[in-house]
Amino acid sequence: MSAHDANEKIAGLQTKGLMVGGVGLVACGAAWAMDAERFYQAYLPGYLFWLAASLGCLGWTMIHHLTEGKWGFPVRRIWEAGSRTVWIMIPLFIPIFMGMHTLFSWTSPEAAHDPILVGKASYLNVGFFTVRAALYFVIWSGLAFLLSSWSSKQDEEEVEPMRTKMRKLSGAGILMMAITVTFMSVDWAMSVDPHWFSTIFGFLFAASDLLMGMAITILVAKMLWDYEPFHKAVKVSTFHDLGNLLMAFTMLWGYMAFSQFLIIWSGNTQEEIPWYLVRNDDAWNIITVILIVFHFCVPFLVLLTRRTKRAPSTLIKVAAWLIVMRYIDLYWLVMPSLGSHGGDTHGAPFHPSWMDLAVPIALGGIWLGFFAMQLKSRNLAPVADPRFQEALADTGGHH
């Protein structure tokens, strides 16, 4: 099928996404009117979930510019479109700012009587929090804009200058991403329980974002596999490579999550251990087991086999499952801490609400609609890049 057919497919995704997003926003408005506090609690993990998709795609864009592996050229425009969705995440951040007093205990007047929060007040204050958030979005948006613009100019101008500029920016950009994602995870997730800290938390977030970005890449690549230029460029070997990366970051997530647990549990300090004790109470321990088994063990074992990674119809099921697990993990990271301020071991009880599904679905519709809009606005592949032509010339095909 032609590129025109592919654009029609993408346009259909855009329409469906925006429709779901529109209905979801109405539901979110109703949720806010019914119980604003519970809405803000549901909104934070839902927002972090879809922000991870944007940042994951941006990270993979820069990783590919640095490595220049053939596995990335056929899907590079998917990453670029995904990275540009960070722009829509800026206005979607407003509810988190509005709900700061619900989500972050360090914003309350009582924080002035907490010695630990008083010691952190130079960092954890509304003004500096706002400045940092603005800086994160400026850096992420700037990287996404420049890399996408230069990639698009490759179709019209000399390839080598653009290639050099993208590679150099990506080198500095990876460092900036590592720093900003680390601080973002502290600001928007760890500070929900401002008494707790973990030095590996930011790296865990970064690895999770890349896992999310790769899972979405596989789903979109499979959706467009029957259309040009993906039909010629994306081969079974391409899915095999992407599947290997999906497995690698599943392993990395498992390693970091277990390392954090092992160090804190063995240390058993009053400052750190309550965070895990909260998640070993009530029904939260069931979520813990679900994450161990279904976020790591099962996907890892399934992805170990070469057959799975070379069967796109099976690989997309694993990718979709990991996307679901990413939301459950973020929910597990954030929600219990909303009731554990002060370092106690009795956090928020497990009380799921329909809002916990309505919010990520609403944001997901908006994200997908904006993603599809960005994807169909440019060539679906870097057709002028000679390395893309080499990928086309490779043998492998659809076997």
Side-chain angles (χ1 to χ4, degrees):
M1 300 183 186
S2 66
H4 175 74
D5 295 326
N7 281 327
E8 289 186 350
K9 180 80 171 180
I10 298 169
L13 177 64
Q14 175 184 336
T15 301
K16 293 175 183 176
L18 293 178
M19 288 177 61
V20 170
V23 174
L25 285 179
V26 173
C28 287
W32 178 81
M34 293 169 57
D35 188 345
E37 181 176 346
R38 188 63 183 84
F39 167 74
Y40 291 134
Q41 292 174 355
Y43 193 89
L44 181 58
Y47 179 86
L48 292 174
F49 175 69
W50 286 107
L51 178 66
S54 302
L55 298 182
C57 289
L58 178 57
W60 281 116
T61 302
M62 292 186 289
I63 289 172
H64 181 250
H65 284 311
L66 289 173
T67 61
E68 297 187 342
K70 290 183 180 180
W71 49 270
F73 289 105
V75 296
R76 193 173 85 190
R77 292 292 164 84
I78 296 176
W79 293 329
E80 292 169 358
S83 69
R84 293 196 299 275
T85 59
V86 76
W87 302 335
I88 198 62
M89 302 309 293
I90 298 175
L92 292 177
F93 183 75
I94 294 175
I96 294 178
F97 189 81
M98 292 172 56
M100 285 185 66
H101 295 298
T102 295
L103 298 171
F104 307 110
S105 62
W106 48 266
T107 64
S108 66
E110 291 76 15
H113 307 291
D114 188 324
I116 294 178
L117 297 188
V118 170
K120 297 181 178 182
S122 59
Y123 184 84
L124 292 180
N125 61 80
V126 175
F128 195 21
F129 177 93
T130 305
V131 170
R132 290 195 304 272
L135 182 61
Y136 303 153
F137 284 119
V138 167
I139 292 173
W140 298 336
S141 300
L143 289 172
F145 173 77
L146 289 175
L147 291 172
S148 295
S149 298
W150 291 343
S151 178
S152 182
K153 287 181 180 179
Q154 274 193 323
D155 297 339
E156 305 167 1
E157 302 179 11
E158 293 185 30
V159 173
E160 194 57 35
M162 295 297 107
R163 173 185 176 183
T164 302
K165 291 169 69 174
M166 289 188 291
R167 186 171 63 248
K168 289 182 177 179
L169 179 60
S170 295
I174 285 290
L175 178 60
M176 288 189 285
M177 281 288 292
I179 295 172
T180 54
V181 170
T182 296
F183 278 89
M184 176 274 290
S185 67
V186 172
D187 291 352
W188 303 350
M190 190 191 299
S191 74
V192 171
D193 183 354
H195 292 82
W196 181 75
F197 59 90
S198 168
T199 55
I200 203 174
F201 198 75
F203 294 101
L204 180 60
F205 251 68
S208 301
D209 290 354
L210 291 171
L211 176 60
M212 179 74 170
M214 183 52 63
I216 288 177
T217 301
I218 291 171
L219 290 178
V220 177
K222 178 61 173 68
M223 181 187 78
L224 299 175
W225 201 30
D226 292 329
Y227 302 90
E228 299 297 348
F230 291 94
H231 184 71
K232 292 181 180 177
V234 179
K235 304 174 176 63
V236 169
S237 59
T238 306
F239 282 107
H240 189 192
D241 292 335
L242 299 180
N244 280 330
L245 290 168
L246 188 69
M247 182 180 71
F249 279 88
T250 299
M251 294 169 60
L252 184 59
W253 173 88
Y255 169 75
M256 288 186 173
F258 179 72
S259 296
Q260 177 178 268
F261 165 76
L262 181 63
I263 293 170
I264 291 176
W265 195 263
S266 60
N268 196 27
T269 62
Q270 185 178 356
E271 296 82 9
E272 297 175 327
I273 198 64
W275 195 85
Y276 277 104
L277 294 179
V278 165
R279 287 156 180 78
N280 198 37
D281 193 19
D282 198 43
W284 292 115
N285 53 8
I286 299 176
I287 306 299
T288 304
V289 173
I290 288 174
L291 288 172
I292 295 171
V293 175
F294 295 107
H295 193 320
F296 174 70
C297 294
V298 173
F300 171 68
L301 292 174
V302 173
L303 289 170
L304 270 179
T305 64
R306 175 183 172 90
R307 178 179 298 178
T308 298
K309 289 172 287 193
R310 296 184 70 85
S313 58
T314 303
L315 184 60
I316 61 169
K317 295 175 184 176
V318 180
W321 181 253
L322 282 170
I323 289 174
V324 174
M325 289 295 104
R326 286 304 315 130
Y327 176 70
I328 294 176
D329 181 43
L330 285 167
Y331 189 85
W332 179 84
L333 286 173
V334 172
M335 292 298 288
S337 294
L338 290 171
S340 62
H341 306 311
D344 61 83
T345 58
H346 303 286
F350 182 70
H351 60 293
S353 166
W354 63 271
M355 300 180 196
D356 298 326
L357 288 178
V359 169
I361 290 174
L363 296 180
I366 296 170
W367 193 94
L368 287 173
F370 196 77
F371 166 78
M373 187 187 308
Q374 297 298 317
L375 185 59
K376 71 183 181 67
S377 67
R378 306 185 182 196
N379 289 334
L380 293 177
V383 292
D385 196 315
R387 296 162 298 169
F388 174 72
Q389 300 301 327
E390 291 175 9
L392 282 177
D394 267 354
T395 57
H398 291 62
H399 298 306

